[in-house]
């Protein structure tokens, strides 16, 4: 019984810990190239993470970008249509491509 009381006290004591100072979170805006296909990218790629994830990859091949878009759909379950997949891949390769298909 005493051990149960001890465990209960131990568990609940951490819950009452409080942080009183103001925390300022940095806000970073990642700007991406705007063209006719930007909207498709905007519609599909900003729900879960910032554009920073995309920009941080640097210049990449068309295959890389296509694999990234497909990964978002198949692994992370982003509802990206096949039409948008093609549009976004072309958009990413046009603005953030290294000129290589593979
Ligand atoms: C359903 C949520 C979701 C959507 C929508 C989404 N992503 Fe992601 N993305 C993730 C997750 C989760 C990660 C991995 C995060 C980590 O590993 O820290 C990620 C990581 C990435 C990365 C980093 C490299 C990698 O493969 O892990 C890139 C590039 C990327 N996403 C591109 C895109 C693009 C382009 C789109 C739009 C077509 C998109 N994401 C839409 C969830 C999403």
């Amino acid at each position: 019984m005493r051990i149960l009381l001890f465990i209960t006290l131990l568990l609940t004591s951490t819950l009452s810990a409080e942080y009183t100072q103001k925390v300022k979170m940095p806000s970073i805006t990642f700007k991406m190239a705007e063209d006719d296909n930007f909207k498709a990218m905007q519609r599909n790629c900003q729900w879960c993470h910032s554009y920073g994830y995309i920009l941080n990859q640097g210049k990449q091949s068309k295959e890389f970008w296509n694999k990234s878009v497909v990964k978002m759909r198949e692994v992370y379950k982003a509802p990206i249509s096949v039409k948008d997949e093609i549009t976004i891949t072309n958009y990413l390769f046009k603005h953030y491509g290294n000129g290589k298909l593979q």
Side-chain angles (χ1 to χ4, degrees):
M1 184 64 200
R2 218 186 273 168
I3 190 85
L4 260 181
L5 190 67
F6 176 73
I7 291 171
T8 309
L9 277 176
L10 198 72
L11 289 176
T12 52
S13 65
T14 54
L15 295 177
S16 64
E18 210 175 296
Y19 194 72
T20 50
Q21 282 175 340
K22 274 193 178 173
V23 179
K24 207 172 178 198
M25 297 297 284
S27 163
I28 304 165
T29 308
F30 295 96
K31 197 154 169 37
M32 292 194 70
E34 287 185 37
D35 65 8
D36 292 347
N37 294 329
F38 176 64
K39 280 212 163 83
M41 215 274 309
Q42 218 179 12
R43 199 167 52 234
N44 287 282
C45 306
Q46 60 177 1
W47 304 13
C48 308
H49 53 72
S50 76
Y51 292 153
Y53 274 59
I54 301 168
L55 295 173
N56 283 342
Q57 304 306 308
K59 302 258 181 198
Q60 295 293 345
S61 68
K62 189 165 190 171
E63 186 184 13
F64 174 93
W65 285 126
N66 186 246
K67 278 187 174 166
S68 292
V69 176
V70 170
K71 179 181 172 186
M72 296 307 127
R73 182 176 60 220
E74 290 181 355
V75 180
Y76 302 128
K77 308 298 174 207
I80 303 165
S81 70
V82 172
K83 187 172 171 272
D84 279 351
E85 174 197 319
I86 295 165
T87 308
I88 296 163
T89 300
N90 289 335
Y91 165 88
L92 291 170
F93 185 59
K94 182 179 171 193
H95 299 287
Y96 307 98
N98 61 8
K100 294 178 186 155
L101 293 181
Q102 288 187 323

